[in-house]
Structure formats: structure tokens, C-alpha cells
């Protein structure tokens, strides 16, 4: 009996000591189980006791293993999903954990107002703009949500009303995918609760391309014959060790052999540190337009395969904060069209800074203001700092301007580019092939 007691005490001691001594101390560590940055120690915390409590809870040793074991036992014994990210619906469907439906009308107004400003900015330069709103799995498969959870689709209703009111060019895939879901699996039952599957992406992209074709008839919709279509076995939920066994659709674009990638030459492209996905693809058909496509995780990664053979040049940029630097990217890539895609649950002030949405100003077309009083300089008169990193396709320049300068332009040969001005410093970045140190700079102090 005494031996059993000693053994029990030893096991109990190990259960206490091992997690403490295997505490994760790496700064900025990310949890693979719930896809977030773990709490760091900070001297600037308002409440040190709360910070320390969160730090220990987040970083205790074997945390991932303990959560996985607890989640698996609840699933096997009680058919319950106890997980920081996911929850079960009806008939085995997996969704993101349910949250209250809160419509942030202030954000929606700021977002749609910015979209309209971006649309006007682009259209005056002869560049069509189109916004695509994609639905969450919760919206498309609302009929499989758990009993007791009421979902009213409030966000999409408010967003579509505002888009209409501001006159934004848009399409929505909410209706299309909800209709398709009655007969086909456009989001998987279990795997990847946050995104459509390849079949859903196929239908949603075709709807987008159909709208693009009204501007550029050379762009046609996708055909099933463009793809080798099979399935792929998924054995865990994304960013989780939760075990599943699900065959999901997998499309391979057979035309991608005709695509070359220039991404690596733009290694110094300015991207928000939190949203760094970028791909520059060139398809062999030069009769197609060039597109600048700001999109989120519905298209990041492999799903760029659904649009890269529908355009000649396609520049895919992680959206959110990067879209608020629209003029920077238009200067560089000179697209024939700009697309923006967001998923409903990622169209929030958590992804788009409402302060920037409200304060961002895009330059008027140069031809509409060139008769206003302004200052003209040759670039080299301003003692600019010009730089281009070795191997980069980009060249940048910056120079000091008076604090009352509000906006300006760069004139090179027959092209006009926008200056970005902040805190008395003007800057611009162009493809090196477009750059010239003989550029003319036009600076304006007033807006009209």
C-alpha cells in the first residue's frame, strides 16, 4: 500500500512539475492549437497580475497535448466539440465557435465610403473597380447550426444595403453559394470551417469572372475541363490536432504550366507585417487584361490557381491594411482593373483600421488640378534619396517637402504617378523600368 502511495505522489508531482519546467518562454510564440500569439511579458501592462495569469495559462508546458486529449475525449465519449476555435453543428458539421451577431454600422459606413472613394480614384484613371463579398460557412449552411443558436444574417444585410447606397460596384456570392449548397458541398462538412472548398471557389470565382467580363470581354468563365478534379484526404482540422477523416474536393488547374512567376523580384514590396501574402503571376495569353487583386484567405495560397489563368498579369496582394495603400500599388503595377475580395467575418475594424478608412485621402486626377497654383521641380532639385536593392524590380525615391504640401505627382515621359506624403516627406515607388531621375515633381498645397 505504501508503494502505491509513493507512486501516486510521484506521478502527481510529475504532473505538476513537468508542465512548469517545460513552460514556453519564446517571445512572440504562436499557438498551433488556436492560431494566436501567446501572451508575452510586458512592463507596459496595466495589470501585472492578469498578465502573469494569462502568461502562465498560455505557456504552461504540454498545453497543446492537454487540450488535444481533452477535446478528443469529449468528442469520443459525448460527441461534443470542446475547442477554442471550433464547434459542432447538426449532422456532424463543424463551424467556427458561435459568436453574437453584432453589426458594426459605424465600420460599415466607413468601409463603404472608402470603397466608393477608391472606386472614383480608379475610374478617373480609366481603371474599373469591383468588390466581391464572400459568405461565411455559417451563412451558407445556417440550416446545420446547432439548435438554440439563432442566426439572422444581419451583417450581410447591412453591408449590401450600404454598398447599394454608396454606389459601389460589387457582387456577392452569398446567394449563389447558398443555392449551390442545396445540392453540392461548396464548404466541407468538417474540414476548414473558415473557407469554401475548391468547388465553392470554382463557383464563386466564375461569378466574379462573369462580372469582370462585362468590362473585358476577353475574360471568360472557368470550365471544369480546365482542371483535373479529384479528392484529398484531410485527417485533422486546420490549426488543430483534432482528428477527422474527410475526403474533400481538390482541383488542379491544367493551364498553370503556362504561368511564370515574378514574385521573387519584388521582395522589397511594401506589405503590412501582418498581411504579407503576395504573388505576381504572368499567364501566356497577352490579350487578357492585367489585374491587381486584393484578397484574403479565401484565395491565398493554392487557390490563386482559380484566377491566375484568367488574366495576363495577376498581382495578388493580401488585402486588409494593404488595400488602404491602394495608390502605392497602383503606381507600381499600373493594372487594367482592381478587384477587392473579403469574407464577411473578416470585414471588420479588426482587419481594416477604421481610423485609416476615415482619414485616407487619394489624389484627384492630375489633369483636373494641374491649373491650380502649385510648385514644380525637377526631381534632382529636391535632393532626393533614391534607392533600389540589388536584384529588386523596384526603385524608390523620397525627399523632404514643406509641411503645408498636401498632395503631389510624379511626371515621367507621358505617365503620371501619385506621391505619398506624410509628415513632411514625399515618396514614391515604381517599377525600375518606369523610373527616371529626370522626373518632374508637382506639389500642391490646396485641394479643390
Amino acid at each position: 500500500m505504501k508503494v502505491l502511495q509513493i507512486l501516486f505522489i510521484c506521478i502527481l508531482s510529475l504532473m505538476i512539475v513537468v508542465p512548469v519546467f517545460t513552460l514556453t518562454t519564446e517571445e512572440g510564440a504562436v499557438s498551433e492549437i488556436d492560431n494566436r500569439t501567446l501572451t508575452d511579458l510586458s512592463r507596459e501592462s496595466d495589470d501585472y497580475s492578469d498578465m502573469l495569469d494569462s502568461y502562465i495559462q498560455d505557456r504552461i508546458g504540454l498545453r497543446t497535448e492537454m487540450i488535444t486529449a481533452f477535446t478528443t475525449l469529449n468528442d469520443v465519449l459525448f460527441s461534443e466539440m470542446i475547442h477554442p476555435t471550433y464547434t459542432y453543428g447538426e449532422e456532424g458539421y463543424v463551424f467556427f465557435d458561435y459568436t453574437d451577431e453584432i453589426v458594426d454600422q459605424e465600420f460599415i459606413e466607413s468601409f463603404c465610403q472608402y470603397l466608393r472613394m477608391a472606386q472614383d480614384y480608379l475610374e478617373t484613371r480609366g481603371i474599373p473597380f469591383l468588390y466581391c463579398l464572400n459568405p461565411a460557412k455559417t451563412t451558407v449552411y445556417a440550416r446545420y447550426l446547432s439548435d438554440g443558436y439563432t442566426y439572422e444574417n444581419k451583417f450581410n444585410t447591412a453591408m449590401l444595403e450600404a454598398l447599394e447606397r454608396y454606389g459601389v460596384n460589387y457582387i456577392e456570392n452569398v446567394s449563389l453559394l447558398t443555392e449551390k449548397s442545396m445540392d453540392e458541398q461548396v464548404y466541407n462538412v468538417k474540414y476548414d470551417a473558415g473557407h469554401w472548398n475548391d468547388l465553392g471557389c470554382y463557383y464563386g470565382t466564375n461569378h466574379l469572372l462573369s462580372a469582370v467580363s462585362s468590362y473585358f470581354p476577353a475574360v471568360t468563365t472557368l470550365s471544369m475541363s480546365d482542371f483535373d478534379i479529384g479528392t484529398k484526404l484531410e485527417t485533422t482540422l486546420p490549426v488543430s490536432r483534432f482528428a477527422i477523416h474527410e475526403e474533400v474536393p481538390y482541383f488542379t488547374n491544367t493551364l498553370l504550366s503556362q504561368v511564370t512567376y515574378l514574385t521573387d523580384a519584388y521582395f522589397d514590396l511594401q506589405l503590412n507585417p501582418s498581411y504579407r501574402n503576395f504573388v505576381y503571376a504572368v499567364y501566356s495569353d497577352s490579350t487578357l487584361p492585367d489585374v491587381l487583386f486584393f484578397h484574403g484567405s479565401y484565395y491565398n495560397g493554392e487557390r490563386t490557381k482559380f484566377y491566375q489563368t484568367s488574366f495576363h498579369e495577376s498581382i495578388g496582394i493580401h488585402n486588409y491594411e494593404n488595400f488602404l495603400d491602394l495608390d502605392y500599388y497602383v503606381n507600381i503595377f499600373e493594372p487594367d482593373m482592381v478587384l477587392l475580395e473579403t469574407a464577411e467575418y473578416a470585414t471588420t475594424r479588426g482587419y481594416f483600421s477604421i481610423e485609416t478608412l476615415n482619414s485616407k485621402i487619394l489624389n484627384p486626377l492630375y489633369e483636373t488640378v494641374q491649373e491650380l497654383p502649385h510648385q514644380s521641380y525637377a526631381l534632382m532639385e529636391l535632393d532626393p534619396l533614391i534607392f533600389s536593392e540589388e536584384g529588386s524590380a523596384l526603385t524608390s525615391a523620397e525627399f523632404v517637402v514643406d509641411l503645408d504640401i498636401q498632395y503631389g505627382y510624379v511626371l515621367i515621359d507621358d505617365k503620371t504617378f501619385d506621391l505619398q506624403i506624410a509628415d513632411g516627406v514625399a515618396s514614391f515607388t515604381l517599377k525600375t523600368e518606369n523610373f527616371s531621375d529626370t522626373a518632374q515633381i508637382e506639389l500642391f498645397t490646396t485641394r479643390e
Side-chain angles (χ1 to χ4, degrees):
M1 188 66 177
K2 189 174 182 180
V3 173
L4 289 176
Q5 290 176 332
I6 294 173
L7 183 61
F8 175 76
I9 292 171
C10 288
I11 292 173
L12 186 61
S13 298
L14 285 172
M15 290 175 65
I16 296 171
V17 171
V18 170
V20 171
F21 279 92
T22 56
L23 199 74
T24 302
T25 57
E26 176 192 354
E27 187 174 344
V30 176
S31 167
E32 64 177 277
I33 198 73
D34 44 10
N35 194 29
R36 65 178 177 83
T37 302
L38 301 179
T39 302
D40 281 318
L41 295 175
S42 172
R43 294 181 179 178
E44 299 177 0
S45 175
D46 294 329
D47 190 323
Y48 286 101
S49 60
D50 279 354
M51 177 194 66
L52 189 58
D53 181 59
S54 296
Y55 183 86
I56 293 172
Q57 288 190 39
D58 273 4
R59 295 170 171 274
I60 193 77
L62 306 179
R63 174 180 181 269
T64 297
E65 288 73 14
M66 288 188 286
I67 291 176
T68 301
F70 181 68
T71 303
T72 302
L73 281 173
N74 274 276
D75 182 47
V76 171
L77 297 177
F78 309 111
S79 297
E80 290 186 4
M81 174 79 78
I82 308 297
H83 193 278
T85 304
Y86 303 107
T87 190
Y88 271 134
E90 302 297 326
E91 298 186 25
Y93 271 76
V94 173
F95 298 94
F96 278 151
D97 199 13
Y98 302 141
T99 57
D100 294 334
E101 280 192 85
I102 299 174
V103 176
D104 186 347
Q105 193 64 44
E106 181 188 16
F107 169 79
I108 289 174
E109 295 295 324
S110 296
F111 181 73
C112 290
Q113 184 175 355
Y114 178 81
L115 292 192
R116 182 53 197 257
M117 181 175 67
Q119 178 175 300
D120 292 342
Y121 168 82
L122 292 166
E123 287 183 347
T124 59
R125 289 156 173 77
I127 305 170
F129 170 73
L130 184 63
Y131 169 56
C132 174
L133 175 63
N134 278 321
K137 182 180 180 181
T138 306
T139 301
V140 174
Y141 286 97
R143 59 193 180 276
Y144 292 110
L145 297 172
S146 300
D147 286 342
Y149 178 69
T150 302
Y151 180 71
E152 300 179 82
N153 198 22
K154 293 178 181 178
F155 171 82
N156 288 322
T157 301
M159 177 61 80
L160 296 178
E161 186 277 329
L163 289 168
E164 290 284 349
R165 182 157 36 85
Y166 280 95
V168 175
N169 300 329
Y170 78 94
I171 65 163
E172 50 86 11
N173 279 320
V174 181
S175 307
L176 170 70
L177 292 175
T178 301
E179 179 184 347
K180 291 289 185 184
S181 74
M182 298 300 175
D183 301 307
E184 301 177 82
Q185 202 68 49
V186 290
Y187 291 68
N188 302 316
V189 175
K190 295 183 184 297
Y191 182 72
D192 203 356
H195 308 95
W196 52 20
N197 61 22
D198 274 12
L199 182 61
C201 189
Y202 173 85
Y203 286 130
T205 305
N206 259 355
H207 189 202
L208 178 61
L209 293 175
S210 179
V212 170
S213 70
S214 66
Y215 300 96
F216 298 98
V219 175
T220 58
T221 55
L222 302 169
S223 168
M224 289 286 186
S225 62
D226 296 333
F227 298 87
D228 287 333
I229 302 174
T231 60
K232 183 179 180 182
L233 176 64
E234 299 293 352
T235 57
T236 62
L237 296 179
V239 198
S240 169
R241 296 184 181 181
F242 188 86
I244 60 171
H245 187 93
E246 184 175 18
E247 293 281 350
V248 303
Y250 188 76
F251 287 43
T252 301
N253 189 337
T254 60
L255 300 176
L256 283 181
S257 60
Q258 300 177 47
V259 174
T260 56
Y261 293 93
L262 306 180
T263 311
D264 290 346
Y266 293 81
F267 59 85
D268 53 346
L269 185 73
Q270 173 185 304
L271 294 164
N272 184 279
S274 298
Y275 310 109
R276 297 200 56 80
N277 285 299
F278 161 70
V279 62
Y280 190 160
V282 181
Y283 181 49
S284 58
D285 189 347
S286 59
T287 66
L288 294 170
D290 300 338
V291 70
L292 176 57
F293 191 1
F294 294 89
H295 56 71
S297 55
Y298 269 47
Y299 281 105
N300 284 342
E302 282 195 7
R303 291 205 172 109
T304 56
K305 65 189 174 186
F306 283 97
Y307 70 80
Q308 286 179 344
T309 54
S310 296
F311 302 94
H312 174 46
E313 293 188 2
S314 56
I315 298 93
I317 293 178
H318 209 159
N319 54 17
Y320 314 131
E321 295 290 300
N322 291 319
F323 184 63
L324 305 185
D325 288 325
L326 173 64
D327 45 352
Y328 168 82
Y329 297 106
V330 170
N331 265 4
I332 294 170
F333 297 111
E334 303 178 278
D336 296 316
M337 187 170 193
V338 171
L339 303 177
L340 170 68
E341 176 274 337
T342 67
E344 60 174 277
Y345 58 82
T347 313
T348 69
R349 66 177 71 208
Y351 288 90
F352 295 89
S353 163
I354 193 167
E355 291 78 13
T356 307
L357 287 171
N358 290 333
S359 63
K360 178 73 176 187
I361 296 176
L362 295 169
N363 283 1
L365 185 68
Y366 174 67
E367 286 75 11
T368 66
V369 297
Q370 61 181 330
E371 300 302 325
L372 293 177
H374 64 278
Q375 304 166 30
S376 298
Y377 301 94
L379 174 63
M380 301 312 291
E381 286 182 63
L382 298 168
D383 193 22
L385 172 64
I386 299 174
F387 50 94
S388 178
E389 295 193 40
E390 184 176 355
S392 172
L394 299 176
T395 297
S396 299
E398 63 179 44
F399 48 89
V400 174
V401 295
D402 294 338
L403 290 175
D404 61 348
I405 296 297
Q406 294 193 42
Y407 64 103
Y409 303 88
V410 184
L411 277 56
I412 300 178
D413 298 328
D414 60 346
K415 291 184 177 182
T416 303
F417 304 95
D418 293 304
L419 280 174
Q420 286 80 50
I421 299 176
D423 301 322
V425 176
S427 64
F428 64 96
T429 300
L430 305 176
K431 287 184 177 179
T432 299
E433 64 197 57
N434 285 331
F435 184 84
S436 171
D437 58 14
T438 63
Q440 185 75 14
I441 304 298
E442 309 286 303
L443 300 174
F444 292 76
T445 57
T446 59
R447 291 184 178 273
E448 185 140 311

